[in-house]
């Protein structure tokens, strides 16, 4: 069965650079979520989209933005990167009311 | 504000033992509860989803129960195996919205010794 695809899997950036993370949800899923998991932490919700419209927002820094495109893939854009942004970034998708399926994550390292 | 707590934080058991992982949440107004498994540095694998109207769900050697009124869920693992070693996370989807975020507990790290 198709799963959530995230790219890239690993990303190394320097402070103050910009990063773009991509997510391809499971076909026919209508909701996409982004989570951030710092070292030794539980995943924290960033933002979600339902049918390409932003549906909920968590503790997402103003330096971060996200959107969902007409083909349902989503991108998380991160600017002015800081050392504290180093984390695993997960994308998840779901069909309304059902369980969320997570992608393998993108490991971002900011040096 | 919804808070999710998992006890214990870590657990080490011999192979073959049955075990229970606990999850509690402060606000009973949840839409559903999901249990995940996470291997070190890896993604989250969904194990079981319990809707707010359900009492339990079973998948193979796993059984999850939900007592919404008391704000508790348990994950029961039967006949544990070394391959079960991982971190187990519970997460609640809060409120009436079915497009809501998941709020996670800190997880229980399980080690099953051969």
């Amino acid at each position: 069965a198709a799963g959530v695809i995230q790219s890239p899997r690993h990303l190394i950036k320097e402070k103050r650079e910009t990063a773009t993370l991509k997510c391809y949800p499971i076909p026919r899923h209508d909701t996409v979520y982004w989570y951030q998991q710092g070292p030794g932490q539980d995943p924290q919700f960033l933002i979600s989209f339902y049918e390409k419209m932003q549906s909920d927002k968590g503790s997402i820094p103003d330096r971060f933005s996200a959107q969902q495109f007409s083909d349902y893939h989503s991108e998380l854009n991160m600017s002015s990167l800081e050392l504290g942004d180093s984390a695993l970034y997960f994308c998840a998708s779901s069909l309304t009311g059902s369980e969320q399926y997570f992608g393998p994550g993108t490991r971002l390292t900011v040096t | 504000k919804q808070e999710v707590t998992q006890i214990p934080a870590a657990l080490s058991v011999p192979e073959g033992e049955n075990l229970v992982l606990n999850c509690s949440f402060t606000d009973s107004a949840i839409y559903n509860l999901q249990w995940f498994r996470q291997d070190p540095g890896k993604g989250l694998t969904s194990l079981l989803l319990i809707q707010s109207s359900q009492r339990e769900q079973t998948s193979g050697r796993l059984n999850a129960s939900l007592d919404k009124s008391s704000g508790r869920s348990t994950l029961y693992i039967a006949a544990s195996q070394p391959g079960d070693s991982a971190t187990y996370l519970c997460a609640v989807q809060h409120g009436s919205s079915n497009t809501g975020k998941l709020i996670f507990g800190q997880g229980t790290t399980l080690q099953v010794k051969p």
Side-chain angles (χ1 to χ4, degrees), chain A residues 4-85:
Chain A
V4 177
I5 297 171
Q6 290 188 247
S7 67
R9 296 291 308 277
H10 301 273
L11 192 58
I12 300 175
K13 291 285 185 179
E14 294 186 357
K15 282 192 304 183
R16 294 179 289 277
E17 285 192 318
T18 297
T20 297
L21 280 54
K22 296 185 179 183
C23 168
Y24 298 84
I26 293 172
R28 290 180 294 282
H29 278 192
D30 54 20
T31 308
V32 167
Y33 309 82
W34 286 96
Y35 295 86
Q36 177 192 57
Q37 187 177 30
Q41 305 284 318
D42 54 287
Q44 296 291 316
F45 171 76
L46 292 176
I47 195 167
S48 63
F49 294 87
Y50 171 67
E51 286 291 346
K52 294 165 279 184
M53 298 289 290
Q54 182 181 309
S55 57
D56 199 359
K57 198 171 181 181
S59 303
I60 183 170
D62 292 340
R63 301 178 288 108
F64 294 7
S65 65
Q67 57 182 325
Q68 188 176 27
F69 294 86
S70 58
D71 65 351
Y72 287 86
H73 95 272
S74 178
E75 294 184 3
L76 177 65
N77 298 292
M78 310 158 68
S79 63
S80 302
L81 286 169
E82 302 173 355
L83 295 178
D85 296 328

Side-chain angles (χ1 to χ4, degrees), chain B residues 6-29:
Chain B
Q6 290 187 247
I7 295 173
L11 184 61
S12 181
V13 301
E15 182 177 4
E17 194 162 296
N18 302 324
L19 58 101
V20 174
L21 307 181
N22 297 291
C23 172
S24 62
F25 45 95
T26 54
D27 189 337
S28 62

Side-chain angles (χ1 to χ4, degrees), chain A residues 35 37 42 45 96-97 99-100, chain B residues 34 38 46 51 98 102 105:
Chain A
Y35 295 86
Q37 187 177 30
D42 54 287
F45 171 76
T96 307
E99 63 193 292
Q100 293 185 26
Chain B
Q34 215 168 328
Q38 186 174 31
S46 179
Q51 299 286 359
N98 57 18
L102 288 176

Side-chain angles (χ1 to χ4, degrees), chain B residues 38-72:
Chain B
Q38 186 174 31
D39 293 288
K42 303 293 185 181
L44 300 168
T45 301
S46 179
L47 298 174
L48 289 164
L49 171 78
I50 310 179
Q51 299 286 359
S52 61
S53 58
Q54 297 175 320
R55 298 283 296 186
E56 66 177 317
Q57 283 286 339
T58 298
S59 175
R61 296 182 293 110
L62 305 179
N63 176 276
S65 67
L66 175 63
D67 184 344
K68 204 172 77 158
S69 61
S70 66
R72 284 189 284 192

